[in-house]
Amino acid sequence: ISFTDNINREAYFPFAGWSENLASSESKFQLSIKVPLNYNSMFIDGDEFYFGFTLQSWWQIYSENISKPFRETNYQPEFFYLAPLNWHPLGGNTGFMVGAEHQSNGRGQLLSRSWNRVYFDFLFEKGNFALSLRPWWRLPEEEKEFAFAADGDDNPDIGDFMGHFELGMVYKWDDYEFAFKGRENFAKHHGGVELGLTFPLWGKLRGFLQYTAGYGESLIDYDHSQQRIGIGIALTDVL
C-alpha cells in the first residue's frame, strides 16, 4: 500500500469520473526479470549480455466511486551488456553496463507517455556496499503534427523533470538493506529521490518500506511533484 500527499488529478481531467474520485492510497507493485543471452564470455572475461523487463503498476484498489482500475502501468524492456573492469579502488570491484531501453505506459491519446534511452552505468561494490552511476541520453522523436496524433513525441519535456542521470546506492547491515536512488536536472532544478528499506519477515519474504519525493515516480507523473510512502512485501533484496 502506498500513500501520496498529492495524487495527480490533472492528467485525468478529460476522463469523466476519474479525477475527482482518485484515492490518495493505492496498491503499488513491481516485477523485474532478466534473462542471460550468452553463456560464454564474448569480449571480456566474465562479461554477460541480458534481456531485462520491468513492470510497475499503481492500482486504485482502495477507491470507492470508480471500479478500482489500474491508474498507471509502466513497461520497460531493455537489452544491456555487463562486464567487469580490472580496476579495484579502495579494495573494491568495478564494472560497467551499456544498454538501451524503452519505457511506456501503453496508453493512447492524452494519457500516452513513453521514451527511449541509451545509457552507460558505472558500478562499484565493496563488501556490503554497492554504487551505480547511470547517465543516459534520450533518443529523439518527431514532434506531433497535432495534439491527438498517434505518432510523435508524447512528452517532449520529460528530460526537464526526469533529469539525465541516476545515482543509486545500496548498503546491507546485518539483515537489513538500505537503498537510495536519485535523479536530477541541474539546469531545471527538477528531479526525484527514492529511499527503500527491506527487513526480515518470515521465510523468504521480506518487509519493505519505501519513500519517494519529487518528479517521475511513474511516467504519467513525470511532471508532477509529490511525496509517497509505502509499506509492503519484497521477494528479494538488491544485493
Side-chain angles (χ1 to χ4, degrees):
I1 181 171
S2 177
F3 304 90
T4 177
D5 68 344
N6 185 24
I7 191 76
N8 186 2
R9 302 185 188 279
E10 183 177 354
Y12 302 94
F13 279 157
F15 302 91
W18 270 60
S19 179
E20 64 272 23
N21 289 309
L22 290 172
S24 294
S25 58
E26 56 189 357
S27 177
K28 176 185 176 181
F29 64 87
Q30 173 177 323
L31 172 67
S32 296
I33 61 172
K34 63 178 183 179
V35 180
L37 301 179
N38 69 300
Y39 293 96
N40 297 304
S41 298
M42 296 186 298
F43 307 109
I44 300 173
D45 187 32
D47 64 1
E48 297 172 300
F49 186 55
Y50 286 99
F51 168 75
F53 181 79
T54 293
L55 179 147
Q56 285 186 302
S57 281
W58 291 260
W59 184 10
Q60 280 280 302
I61 192 172
Y62 307 107
S63 60
E64 296 181 356
N65 297 318
I66 47 179
S67 59
K68 304 187 186 305
F70 283 87
R71 181 180 64 87
E72 172 79 345
T73 298
N74 292 169
Y75 310 91
Q76 185 175 318
E78 61 183 311
F79 289 95
F80 61 91
Y81 173 77
L82 170 65
L85 291 170
N86 188 23
W87 182 42
H88 305 280
L90 304 176
N93 299 311
T94 60
F96 70 94
M97 290 170 51
V98 178
E101 63 185 13
H102 167 79
Q103 188 179 27
S104 65
N105 64 358
R107 307 294 286 270
Q109 301 299 330
L110 295 178
L111 290 181
S112 178
R113 305 287 187 272
S114 67
W115 62 339
N116 302 296
R117 294 179 287 178
V118 292
Y119 62 81
F120 175 86
D121 198 343
F122 171 75
L123 307 169
F124 170 80
E125 63 90 14
K126 180 181 179 181
N128 294 333
F129 173 77
L131 178 146
S132 162
L133 178 60
R134 175 181 296 197
W136 58 67
W137 178 66
R138 185 192 180 189
L139 298 176
E141 299 180 51
E142 294 183 358
E143 294 184 8
K144 284 182 177 289
E145 294 183 4
F146 54 93
F148 295 100
D151 297 327
D153 195 345
D154 295 316
N155 32 248
D157 61 345
I158 192 170
D160 292 346
F161 297 92
M162 296 291 283
H164 305 290
F165 76 95
E166 181 178 87
L167 174 65
M169 291 183 286
V170 182
Y171 179 72
K172 192 165 188 176
W173 174 71
D174 196 12
D175 210 8
Y176 298 85
E177 187 175 86
F178 303 87
F180 165 87
K181 288 183 181 179
R183 300 182 309 273
E184 179 66 22
N185 182 319
F186 292 109
K188 300 292 184 178
H189 304 294
H190 293 151
V193 64
E194 176 184 301
L195 302 175
L197 167 66
T198 60
F199 51 91
L201 281 181
W202 62 87
K204 293 185 178 180
L205 291 181
R206 310 276 294 165
F208 184 52
L209 286 171
Q210 185 182 75
Y211 169 78
T212 63
Y215 296 92
E217 196 211 9
S218 69
L219 280 179
I220 199 69
D221 298 328
Y222 81 89
D223 57 353
H224 179 80
S225 182
Q226 61 185 312
Q227 295 184 87
R228 280 183 174 268
I229 188 167
I231 185 168
I233 293 172
L235 300 180
T236 63
D237 286 325
V238 176
L239 293 179

